[in-house]
Amino acid sequence: MPAYKAPVADTMFLLNSVFDWPKYGNLPGFADTTSDIVEAILEEGGRLCEEVLQPLNITGDKEGCVRLPDGSVTTPKGFKEAYKAYREGGWIGLAAPTEYGGQGLPYTLAAMINAYSASANMAFTMYPGLTQSAIAAIVEHASVELKQAYLPKLISGEWTGTMNLTEPHCGTDLGLLKTRAKPLGDGAYAISGQKIFISAGEHDLAENIVHLVLARIEGAPAGTRGISLFIVPKFLPDADGANGARNTLSCGSIEHKMGIHANSTCVMNYDDARGFLIGEANKGLNAMFVMMNEARLGVAVQGLAQSEAAYQNAAAYARDRLQGRALTGPKSPEKPADSILVHPDVRRMLLDIRSFNEAAHALVIWSALHADLARRAPDAKERQSSDDLLGLMTPVLKGVLTDVGFENTVKAQQVFGGHGYIAEWGMEQFVRDARIAMIYEGANGIQALDLVGRKLPRDGGRAMTAFLGEVQAFIKENAASADLAPYLEGLKKGVGDLQQATLWFMQNAMAKPDNAGAGSYDYMHLFGLVALGYMWGRIARAAMEQKTADPAQAAAMDAKLIAGRYFMQRKMPETAAHFARIQSGADVMMSMTAEMF
Amino acid sequence: MPAYKAPVADTMFLLNSVFDWPKYGNLPGFADTTSDIVEAILEEGGRLCEEVLQPLNITGDKEGCVRLPDGSVTTPKGFKEAYKAYREGGWIGLAAPTEYGGQGLPYTLAAMINAYSASANMAFTMYPGLTQSAIAAIVEHASVELKQAYLPKLISGEWTGTMNLTEPHCGTDLGLLKTRAKPLGDGAYAISGQKIFISAGEHDLAENIVHLVLARIEGAPAGTRGISLFIVPKFLPDADGANGARNTLSCGSIEHKMGIHANSTCVMNYDDARGFLIGEANKGLNAMFVMMNEARLGVAVQGLAQSEAAYQNAAAYARDRLQGRALTGPKSPEKPADSILVHPDVRRMLLDIRSFNEAAHALVIWSALHADLARRAPDAKERQSSDDLLGLMTPVLKGVLTDVGFENTVKAQQVFGGHGYIAEWGMEQFVRDARIAMIYEGANGIQALDLVGRKLPRDGGRAMTAFLGEVQAFIKENAASADLAPYLEGLKKGVGDLQQATLWFMQNAMAKPDNAGAGSYDYMHLFGLVALGYMWGRIARAAMEQKTADPAQAAAMDAKLIAGRYFMQRKMPETAAHFARIQSGADVMMSMTAEMF
């Protein structure tokens, strides 16, 4: 049976030593979060994940969700009680506005709790996670009436939220969607259509389910400019806000999937269901993008979270498993065999994972801080530049953290040999669960296109210029440090490749957009390596300082420094291969006719 | 529902145009296999795979194997009939010796049929596949009496075979195994112990199951030098060769696994079961290695096979799925959207797979031909040099074809977007099934160690010298061809990296063996890229010739030439990253203490 321990000490090191948490004390919601309080919050949330959510991970996978003939869906045993504990702990509304019952704390803390929770039980975490995304969209775009009617119960977790985008014939291309909205004359709309792949679309954890549904108002323009966003609740709230009439929507079936079995993935049928417009008519995609960007960060965190949980178990197994002898002679001659940790190739697998996890942990915090700054910084310019960076990083985080996170679960499974393939050890579940994160909330190829086609050129490349400037300033600032040199060398080379790749797109993709499409995926991963490498530079600097300041932490800091060196030696060289692939362009791949495939 | 079409035309192109099949006509068993006959055999075998095995793949996964309270195991619906058709077609003994009822045909053909079969239904194919491995070990090492008693029924498929190596406390490190063998005085032994992960250990497809079991004879030396190999049949054959007494062995349980659900993975308990020594006492590992090498090639073929099946379905889906518009403007303006094949990033995923599959298909044939030559060539020197190459290539094939084959199933799944995650589409099953191939028959890290630690230095590096010589001769021979230049450039660079990496090991791993261990995995993949690149060089040359000779095949040949260019542009650049990682050595990773992980 797998285990999980929330990495609170690592988070605290990153917040305090790497990102200088106290300096954000002037932001709303940050004032009271002293280091002690943050640690207490993370410890408490971590405990819930370790003690309540994690034990339900394997059983939930095995049992799955069940749709009953009446269209209701039951979640696995123990999920109701766990959800009750989760929502009563106030974790769903941790960063939500206080005026609607939230705690108004930093989004950064909510992101950390979500990471722990997704490590412990990814399928479970999707229920509150989608609710948080729905809250974000409603906060940003809905009318005051809708906010008052829906936010308090979503924030308290009495109700949960969903996102309804996909239809059988359209996933990525939302312009094709057919779900219709007919004005009813009283301000509401009658929504009709079928949505698929609706996570948490129906379940037994909450009293009500608030569906956010993309639909086309009668007479609206074709394509993406005719799409509106609606709130369509399972039960229509009455004047007191309690559940009133059952709305005419239902779960038609649930999917049998590779993983996340404990989350119900529903086909949702809307049959003149009563719905309420969020924001402006035909501007639904804008509103949905708020939800999707929040959700994309959440999915990025899932990638890291599964990688972290898989790592912890693989490292523990490697320490305990005796098999073979070290290449340099027995290390534990008194035992029948050495621990498999003596084998360099086992260390390779573990350090591939570990060296990614620590930097990705930092990158999530760095980005989440920018999300906080983008909304809460007193200075408009600072809000803007943080919003720039967050927009730029969102596809990179989503694409890279889920791709590499998945690969890492596969590596962790490999450490277990044959046992990794057997369900009871839990390692194969990490692989199956992590796999979806590469697909949903925009498949990773779409993230790459978003990065190259939209985020990169936006505002004359302002965000990218700022990112490159920040990394180069860091390199310059620390150029004199001999200790940091091994961390900066690879980073420098990586930034160089990233800059040249960006230049290559400018020179070759304007006239031939396929050159951008052909290189977008490699560019996203090249970008990811540089961003992670930059995090390693900052972690290494902080770890060196910490080591001097507090000798008791020397071993913990040395472990970080070793993992960082490993990343620089073994991961950063991949930037060159990405750049080479980008430069090969689109000509060869586009010369295949459809029939040749 | 996924589909599958055996790639007979590709196989025929490789056999005839790339590998000059007729030149092997002098070998025993090859004489009658003219091109027409080979094609007829492959077509017939392919049809069985397409029509009988493939339709049982998804249903078999869903239903799985069931162990009944009496210890018997049932296979999924339809498997019995399919197995009957398979064995009656003579496919199990296709390459087995004629004196025991086999057809004595080239192993190369058997490898192709196994590839088709593993594409259609991997879990099914393991039943006859393990039988073929057992046949190989018995042919090579058993006494005439044992051969006469067991080979005819294994070759006809009336009985099936298994390999019993792993025990709960030992997988890779067979020196730790505890299963005991006590001489009974009549030449037989009483075998006692527990084996785990025994594929096809118990089932309802055959009348008898012949277990090949590693055990330690009482008083044998400790470690790997005290291990012997035994035949331990489920039913003891009587004097007429029919099933006699039930032996005292049983299936204690079956495993719940990530995939290959239709193959029973058993815990086998031996309780003074009657067994018969194969070959010499305490030399069991030698005999088992014959079986394992055969099985390793079979597993390599599984990696390619799953990648091929996944590709076929992803390409068909991409052609049909309409979503979005080409970056260069609508390609099918009359339709609501373009096919997703217009998107470079979709082509990237498909060509990543395709450009691997075609070269891997060639590499399997090239290696299988060497397996045939190693046993059948009239000249001892030729037998030796083929055996050298086969030994060298076995870990590369096993490690690289299963690693990349798995990655390719993940990519093919990605092409389907959300549908790829849903069981009914069949794509996630390819991922789950392909995953085991990286683990069993020696986890891929062990393959890498076998390559670097044993195969590379063996006989003063004779095999490696021969391989490098062959590739360099090919490059030199074709240096004047401008058409081939794009294929040779990348190969040349790759060979250079491989040579330098080999040199690096010679200079850095003698004194510090951990440097070899730390770089072994990257070396295996670097080697794989060069071997696949070499295959592309040969395919490209043959395709150019074929295109001139038969203009009707121009499109088919152009498709190969494009896929080959793609491989050179986008895969070969990875050799540099592998070399960089190798050069980073072991120091950093070995500096982590066990507690730091």
Side-chain angles (χ1 to χ4, degrees), chain A residues 171 323-324 413 421 435 589, chain B residues 171 173 323 347 413 432 435:
Chain A
Q323 203 82 174
Q413 181 188 25
Y421 201 66
R435 181 66 184 86
M589 62 167 72
Chain B
D173 189 356
Q323 204 81 173
R347 288 171 172 251
Q413 181 188 24
R432 289 186 290 104
R435 181 66 184 88

Side-chain angles (χ1 to χ4, degrees), chain A residues 78-99:
Chain A
F79 269 52
K80 267 188 186 171
E81 295 73 16
Y83 181 75
K84 189 163 177 282
Y86 200 89
R87 76 174 194 74
E88 287 180 357
W91 301 110
I92 296 170
L94 198 70
T98 49
E99 55 185 306

Side-chain angles (χ1 to χ4, degrees), chain B residues 476-495:
Chain B
K476 208 170 157 190
E477 221 172 86
N478 298 284
S481 162
D483 290 343
L484 274 176
Y487 301 89
L488 299 184
E489 228 170 88
L491 179 58
K492 214 165 156 180
K493 169 76 174 61
V495 178

Side-chain angles (χ1 to χ4, degrees), chain A residues 171-295:
Chain A
T172 298
D173 188 357
L174 290 171
L176 301 175
L177 72 80
K178 293 178 181 164
T179 298
R180 302 177 312 280
K182 205 169 76 180
L184 289 171
D186 61 354
Y189 291 78
I191 312 289
S192 294
Q194 188 177 66
K195 296 286 181 177
I196 63 170
F197 300 158
I198 308 309
S199 299
E202 179 59 48
H203 59 80
D204 56 3
L205 300 181
E207 291 166 19
N208 197 2
I209 300 174
V210 179
H211 301 286
L212 270 65
V213 181
L214 286 182
R216 202 180 288 285
I217 297 174
E218 282 188 344
T224 52
R225 283 165 201 192
I227 297 174
S228 306
L229 181 63
F230 298 88
I231 285 189
V232 192
K234 178 177 168 186
F235 291 102
L236 292 156
D238 64 20
D240 304 325
N243 281 351
R246 179 70 154 86
N247 211 345
T248 48
L249 60 91
S250 63
C251 163
S253 61
I254 60 174
E255 305 284 0
H256 298 278
K257 312 183 298 288
M258 185 182 193
I260 49 165
H261 293 160
N263 198 279
S264 61
T265 306
C266 301
V267 172
M268 295 301 300
N269 296 317
Y270 295 88
D271 187 17
D272 278 339
R274 199 170 166 80
F276 309 94
L277 185 66
I278 299 185
E280 284 179 59
N282 300 336
K283 294 271 172 73
L285 277 194
N286 288 349
M288 190 53 105
F289 264 116
V290 172
M291 189 162 182
M292 266 166 59
N293 278 332
E294 177 107 7

